[in-house]
Amino acid sequence: MNDDFLKLTNIAKRYGTRVVVDHLSLTVHRGELLCFLGPSGSGKTTLLRMMAGLEIPDEGRIEIHGATVAAEGRSLVSPQDRRIGFVFQDLALWPHLTVGEHLDFVLGSRGVPRRRRPEKIEQALSLVRLHQRASAYPSELSGGEQQRVGLARALVTEPRLLLFDEPLANLDIDLKAELEAEIRALQQRLAITSVYITHDPGEAFYLGERIAILQAGRLVQVGSSPEILERPASDFVARLMRLWQVRGLRGAPDSDRHFAGES
Amino acid sequence: MRVEILNRQWTARSTIGLAGVLVFALSISPVLYMFVRSLEHNGQFTLAYYAQLLGEPRQRRLLGHSIQLAAWAALAGSALGVPAGLLLARLPQATALLLRFVLLVPLLLPPYILGVVWVFVMGRAGWLSRWMGSDVASVWAYSLPGAGLVLGLALAPLSMLLAEAARRAIPARLIEAARLVAGPSRTLARITLPLVASSLAAGGLLVFVLALAEFGVPSLLGVRVYTTEVFTQFAALYNFGAATATAAPLLLVVVVAAGLARILLGGRVLTSSLMAEQPLRLSSPARVAAQSYLILLGLLMVAGPLLVLMVEAGSWRALLDALVSARIQIGTSIALSIIGASLATGLGLLLGYWRARTTSGGRGFFDVGMLVLFAVPSTVVGIGLIGLWNRTGWTGAFYTSPAMIIIGYLARYVPLAALLLGAYLQQLPAAREEAAIVFGAHWWRMLGRIVVPAARLGLAVIWTICFIFMFGELGTTVLVAPPGTTTLPVRVYAIMANSPDQRVAELCLMQTLVILLSLGGLLAAVQVAGRRQKNGGKVDE
């Protein structure tokens, strides 16, 4: 069976006259975690939203598990029916629902019978170590716990594809390191094909089996961490690797791990 | 610009499309119908009504009167509302909330109630004349500036809200940077006012448009403007074509003014955010002065009129008698307004949601369109509805039932509900809805389980506003109410001319008390929600 799980072919997206994603092609393998790395405005969030069905590519084709979900300016499969899990940047938790109700709502939306939901909710909350907090509202949770709710919500329906939109961007360094480790362990344990976007090279190299580097909507290099570090494909990639390494050696604060790419 | 998917769902399209069709049938078609009727006579196309309109000096005078009335109202409304809004923006939220509620009351009272109070004080046999021993003020009281002042008082809260929202939207650091090098007055003149100027101008334009469309006050004060002329042409002369043609210049001015207001305000036609910026703190003496001014304004705009009505109404016993005698009209008004407000809020939610989440260029058109529809004079809406619904068949069955009054309410206030809800929903993070869609919820489920709970406070506010406006609606209801069904405003209007002042005052007071009770309930709901939010409760809207 073909090992390609997510296939992007010649994807392009414009907002007005501004090209956000410029004819990008890429394949994500089954069970792999691929990180998109790029500065602000490089098109990585738009790309992720097109995979989720929240945006429609102007050109090109997106295939998930062999089925074409969007092609030539049309969405062929709605976001509801793509069976994906999504961890939003600002988490997008629903303030009026408890942790348990978040998962119940998602399971109900997917048509899971009511009697089977408690067990699934318990499992998902156990995965992210939140089973004691099922009756808490988002405003009653710490930052880390809120992140875990976002993760549990994405996992509860056993999605075939997990998408992460810079979920750790606004966290302090300790919590970020802790959650990075949890995400990596969970992804490896569950072997769900995942796409993770970030502007932090450290995060990308830690999490990604492969890293895809974006510059102004174009894909400039795809490869493993050693490949990119040893054989940067362009001056842009070489510069950002150098910058990141220099800052890392200087022991710069976490915010400085973010490379000063183009804006 | 990333939420188009929320409106692309088939269910969303069909539901919102249906709501759009309903709004077309209820609000747009009466206006279109009147326009078409003004172009025909005995089945033939004609421009005769318009030729007559342009040819008669009287018509030009009427247009002049209408514009003068609206200009006086805009001037008075801005003079009262703008300073109040700028001061409110500098007060802590809790104080501002309470004062804002009090100062909003005139906007929610039917303007003719303020007109009645005006007559009691300034009229021929009013308090002032009795106190001075001669009729010193009635010439002015029944003039265009007098009517403009009454409408300015009634609509000043609109200027106030826009001024406050604009002032709160200025980042504190901009003002702080100016205060490092300039005094308060220079900062106000060179930094604050230029930054809020477009909102202030838009506020003035909105007051202008709504004053132009007002019927109750000019009718009560005997000021001849287009809205009263339209009513006369129809109700007294039963000249449908002339009534319609008479409304045409008015509609043109309304469209131009509403379009200008939209341009000045950008996407914030009716902003509902008054929490955007933590205000710079005023010094204690300045805060006391600001609060004193706003309390005085509240006394002038709210407590004063209430006191006049109470004195004119006489004893509580008389008020009780009036309550008993008007119980059927009060009950009818409350029941019809509850149904109307619920339907208007539902339709407004669907259309407002489209407005909040669309990425299409239709938003500007929607804003202007809804603003114009809301500003169409109530008498014009009423006559259009009669023309459309007064027929044999199923429409006739509606026409002869109280449902016709609800249709009139919806025609007038669904555009307002859609405009307000569009502004409110736009402030809620779209990511929560996208999350629901991505996790498998279909559009209705997303709307019911995510949007409605998140927006429940806004929905309650807008429901109450619709209820209050519908409860006081006069111009359309007086035309479309079927025989045997009378609402409280129609009863008040009917007795104004031939009943003792006391009876008029009693009924106006009754109406005011119902409105104040509704507002009190709303204030309590807002404060409970605010307290929950402060205590880290369940809802963060």
PDB file of all heavy atoms in Angstrom, chain A residues 158-174:
ATOM      1  N   GLU A 158     -10.142   9.968  17.477  1.00  0.00           N
ATOM      2  CA  GLU A 158      -9.142   9.134  16.795  1.00  0.00           C
ATOM      3  C   GLU A 158      -8.996   9.566  15.341  1.00  0.00           C
ATOM      4  O   GLU A 158      -9.322   8.817  14.407  1.00  0.00           O
ATOM      5  CB  GLU A 158      -9.535   7.656  16.885  1.00  0.00           C
ATOM      6  CG  GLU A 158      -9.595   7.163  18.310  1.00  0.00           C
ATOM      7  CD  GLU A 158     -10.325   5.839  18.450  1.00  0.00           C
ATOM      8  OE1 GLU A 158     -10.446   5.135  17.444  1.00  0.00           O
ATOM      9  OE2 GLU A 158     -10.788   5.534  19.559  1.00  0.00           O
ATOM     10  N   PRO A 159      -8.526  10.791  15.128  1.00  0.00           N
ATOM     11  CA  PRO A 159      -8.436  11.306  13.762  1.00  0.00           C
ATOM     12  C   PRO A 159      -7.349  10.592  12.970  1.00  0.00           C
ATOM     13  O   PRO A 159      -6.442   9.998  13.554  1.00  0.00           O
ATOM     14  CB  PRO A 159      -8.067  12.779  13.984  1.00  0.00           C
ATOM     15  CG  PRO A 159      -7.318  12.780  15.265  1.00  0.00           C
ATOM     16  CD  PRO A 159      -7.955  11.729  16.116  1.00  0.00           C
ATOM     17  N   ARG A 160      -7.466  10.692  11.668  1.00  0.00           N
ATOM     18  CA  ARG A 160      -6.417  10.044  10.858  1.00  0.00           C
ATOM     19  C   ARG A 160      -5.309  11.034  10.524  1.00  0.00           C
ATOM     20  O   ARG A 160      -4.267  10.664  10.016  1.00  0.00           O
ATOM     21  CB  ARG A 160      -7.023   9.456   9.589  1.00  0.00           C
ATOM     22  CG  ARG A 160      -7.916  10.404   8.872  1.00  0.00           C
ATOM     23  CD  ARG A 160      -8.652   9.738   7.734  1.00  0.00           C
ATOM     24  NE  ARG A 160      -9.228  10.753   6.877  1.00  0.00           N
ATOM     25  CZ  ARG A 160      -9.829  10.489   5.739  1.00  0.00           C
ATOM     26  NH1 ARG A 160      -9.925   9.256   5.325  1.00  0.00           N
ATOM     27  NH2 ARG A 160     -10.329  11.457   5.015  1.00  0.00           N
ATOM     28  N   LEU A 161      -5.585  12.336  10.794  1.00  0.00           N
ATOM     29  CA  LEU A 161      -4.568  13.360  10.544  1.00  0.00           C
ATOM     30  C   LEU A 161      -4.666  14.415  11.637  1.00  0.00           C
ATOM     31  O   LEU A 161      -5.765  14.873  11.967  1.00  0.00           O
ATOM     32  CB  LEU A 161      -4.830  14.009   9.171  1.00  0.00           C
ATOM     33  CG  LEU A 161      -3.949  15.181   8.756  1.00  0.00           C
ATOM     34  CD1 LEU A 161      -2.497  14.741   8.599  1.00  0.00           C
ATOM     35  CD2 LEU A 161      -4.437  15.773   7.426  1.00  0.00           C
ATOM     36  N   LEU A 162      -3.517  14.776  12.216  1.00  0.00           N
ATOM     37  CA  LEU A 162      -3.504  15.791  13.279  1.00  0.00           C
ATOM     38  C   LEU A 162      -2.786  17.041  12.768  1.00  0.00           C
ATOM     39  O   LEU A 162      -1.686  16.932  12.222  1.00  0.00           O
ATOM     40  CB  LEU A 162      -2.718  15.266  14.477  1.00  0.00           C
ATOM     41  CG  LEU A 162      -3.457  14.800  15.723  1.00  0.00           C
ATOM     42  CD1 LEU A 162      -2.446  14.345  16.769  1.00  0.00           C
ATOM     43  CD2 LEU A 162      -4.328  15.896  16.300  1.00  0.00           C
ATOM     44  N   LEU A 163      -3.426  18.183  12.950  1.00  0.00           N
ATOM     45  CA  LEU A 163      -2.812  19.436  12.499  1.00  0.00           C
ATOM     46  C   LEU A 163      -2.568  20.335  13.709  1.00  0.00           C
ATOM     47  O   LEU A 163      -3.473  20.519  14.539  1.00  0.00           O
ATOM     48  CB  LEU A 163      -3.727  20.140  11.495  1.00  0.00           C
ATOM     49  CG  LEU A 163      -4.167  19.324  10.271  1.00  0.00           C
ATOM     50  CD1 LEU A 163      -5.152  20.111   9.417  1.00  0.00           C
ATOM     51  CD2 LEU A 163      -2.958  18.916   9.436  1.00  0.00           C
ATOM     52  N   PHE A 164      -1.374  20.890  13.804  1.00  0.00           N
ATOM     53  CA  PHE A 164      -1.025  21.768  14.930  1.00  0.00           C
ATOM     54  C   PHE A 164      -0.676  23.153  14.381  1.00  0.00           C
ATOM     55  O   PHE A 164       0.255  23.283  13.593  1.00  0.00           O
ATOM     56  CB  PHE A 164       0.197  21.236  15.674  1.00  0.00           C
ATOM     57  CG  PHE A 164      -0.004  19.918  16.366  1.00  0.00           C
ATOM     58  CD1 PHE A 164       0.158  18.723  15.681  1.00  0.00           C
ATOM     59  CD2 PHE A 164      -0.329  19.865  17.713  1.00  0.00           C
ATOM     60  CE1 PHE A 164       0.000  17.502  16.323  1.00  0.00           C
ATOM     61  CE2 PHE A 164      -0.491  18.651  18.364  1.00  0.00           C
ATOM     62  CZ  PHE A 164      -0.335  17.464  17.666  1.00  0.00           C
ATOM     63  N   ASP A 165      -1.402  24.178  14.819  1.00  0.00           N
ATOM     64  CA  ASP A 165      -1.128  25.536  14.340  1.00  0.00           C
ATOM     65  C   ASP A 165      -0.404  26.323  15.435  1.00  0.00           C
ATOM     66  O   ASP A 165      -1.026  27.028  16.223  1.00  0.00           O
ATOM     67  CB  ASP A 165      -2.455  26.227  13.974  1.00  0.00           C
ATOM     68  CG  ASP A 165      -2.242  27.616  13.391  1.00  0.00           C
ATOM     69  OD1 ASP A 165      -1.068  27.998  13.180  1.00  0.00           O
ATOM     70  OD2 ASP A 165      -3.242  28.318  13.159  1.00  0.00           O
ATOM     71  N   GLU A 166       0.877  26.189  15.495  1.00  0.00           N
ATOM     72  CA  GLU A 166       1.725  26.866  16.501  1.00  0.00           C
ATOM     73  C   GLU A 166       1.091  26.858  17.888  1.00  0.00           C
ATOM     74  O   GLU A 166       0.924  27.912  18.502  1.00  0.00           O
ATOM     75  CB  GLU A 166       1.985  28.316  16.081  1.00  0.00           C
ATOM     76  CG  GLU A 166       2.668  28.429  14.735  1.00  0.00           C
ATOM     77  CD  GLU A 166       3.380  29.761  14.547  1.00  0.00           C
ATOM     78  OE1 GLU A 166       4.268  30.042  15.354  1.00  0.00           O
ATOM     79  OE2 GLU A 166       3.038  30.490  13.618  1.00  0.00           O
ATOM     80  N   PRO A 167       0.740  25.701  18.416  1.00  0.00           N
ATOM     81  CA  PRO A 167      -0.016  25.686  19.676  1.00  0.00           C
ATOM     82  C   PRO A 167       0.792  26.163  20.879  1.00  0.00           C
ATOM     83  O   PRO A 167       0.221  26.557  21.882  1.00  0.00           O
ATOM     84  CB  PRO A 167      -0.419  24.224  19.835  1.00  0.00           C
ATOM     85  CG  PRO A 167       0.591  23.460  19.066  1.00  0.00           C
ATOM     86  CD  PRO A 167       0.996  24.329  17.932  1.00  0.00           C
ATOM     87  N   LEU A 168       2.133  26.130  20.774  1.00  0.00           N
ATOM     88  CA  LEU A 168       2.943  26.461  21.951  1.00  0.00           C
ATOM     89  C   LEU A 168       3.581  27.847  21.837  1.00  0.00           C
ATOM     90  O   LEU A 168       4.479  28.184  22.613  1.00  0.00           O
ATOM     91  CB  LEU A 168       4.036  25.396  22.148  1.00  0.00           C
ATOM     92  CG  LEU A 168       3.564  23.935  22.111  1.00  0.00           C
ATOM     93  CD1 LEU A 168       4.730  22.986  22.327  1.00  0.00           C
ATOM     94  CD2 LEU A 168       2.492  23.690  23.166  1.00  0.00           C
ATOM     95  N   ALA A 169       3.127  28.618  20.866  1.00  0.00           N
ATOM     96  CA  ALA A 169       3.827  29.870  20.547  1.00  0.00           C
ATOM     97  C   ALA A 169       3.875  30.847  21.717  1.00  0.00           C
ATOM     98  O   ALA A 169       4.829  31.591  21.865  1.00  0.00           O
ATOM     99  CB  ALA A 169       3.160  30.530  19.339  1.00  0.00           C
ATOM    100  N   ASN A 170       2.838  30.841  22.541  1.00  0.00           N
ATOM    101  CA  ASN A 170       2.782  31.890  23.561  1.00  0.00           C
ATOM    102  C   ASN A 170       3.082  31.397  24.972  1.00  0.00           C
ATOM    103  O   ASN A 170       2.677  32.013  25.943  1.00  0.00           O
ATOM    104  CB  ASN A 170       1.393  32.553  23.541  1.00  0.00           C
ATOM    105  CG  ASN A 170       1.083  33.117  22.176  1.00  0.00           C
ATOM    106  OD1 ASN A 170       1.942  33.739  21.559  1.00  0.00           O
ATOM    107  ND2 ASN A 170      -0.118  32.877  21.675  1.00  0.00           N
ATOM    108  N   LEU A 171       3.776  30.263  25.076  1.00  0.00           N
ATOM    109  CA  LEU A 171       3.998  29.697  26.417  1.00  0.00           C
ATOM    110  C   LEU A 171       5.398  30.018  26.942  1.00  0.00           C
ATOM    111  O   LEU A 171       6.322  30.283  26.164  1.00  0.00           O
ATOM    112  CB  LEU A 171       3.822  28.178  26.365  1.00  0.00           C
ATOM    113  CG  LEU A 171       2.434  27.674  25.954  1.00  0.00           C
ATOM    114  CD1 LEU A 171       2.402  26.150  25.998  1.00  0.00           C
ATOM    115  CD2 LEU A 171       1.356  28.240  26.860  1.00  0.00           C
ATOM    116  N   ASP A 172       5.548  29.947  28.263  1.00  0.00           N
ATOM    117  CA  ASP A 172       6.882  30.175  28.815  1.00  0.00           C
ATOM    118  C   ASP A 172       7.755  28.945  28.546  1.00  0.00           C
ATOM    119  O   ASP A 172       7.261  27.864  28.207  1.00  0.00           O
ATOM    120  CB  ASP A 172       6.811  30.513  30.308  1.00  0.00           C
ATOM    121  CG  ASP A 172       6.272  29.359  31.127  1.00  0.00           C
ATOM    122  OD1 ASP A 172       6.930  28.313  31.144  1.00  0.00           O
ATOM    123  OD2 ASP A 172       5.189  29.507  31.716  1.00  0.00           O
ATOM    124  N   ILE A 173       9.065  29.130  28.722  1.00  0.00           N
ATOM    125  CA  ILE A 173      10.033  28.138  28.223  1.00  0.00           C
ATOM    126  C   ILE A 173       9.871  26.763  28.878  1.00  0.00           C
ATOM    127  O   ILE A 173       9.953  25.732  28.219  1.00  0.00           O
ATOM    128  CB  ILE A 173      11.464  28.696  28.388  1.00  0.00           C
ATOM    129  CG1 ILE A 173      12.465  27.782  27.703  1.00  0.00           C
ATOM    130  CG2 ILE A 173      11.824  28.903  29.844  1.00  0.00           C
ATOM    131  CD1 ILE A 173      13.810  28.455  27.483  1.00  0.00           C
ATOM    132  N   ASP A 174       9.588  26.745  30.196  1.00  0.00           N
ATOM    133  CA  ASP A 174       9.493  25.449  30.883  1.00  0.00           C
ATOM    134  C   ASP A 174       8.269  24.659  30.413  1.00  0.00           C
ATOM    135  O   ASP A 174       8.350  23.476  30.098  1.00  0.00           O
ATOM    136  CB  ASP A 174       9.400  25.669  32.401  1.00  0.00           C
ATOM    137  CG  ASP A 174      10.711  26.193  32.947  1.00  0.00           C
ATOM    138  OD1 ASP A 174      11.733  25.978  32.272  1.00  0.00           O
ATOM    139  OD2 ASP A 174      10.699  26.833  34.009  1.00  0.00           O
TER     140      ASP A 174
END
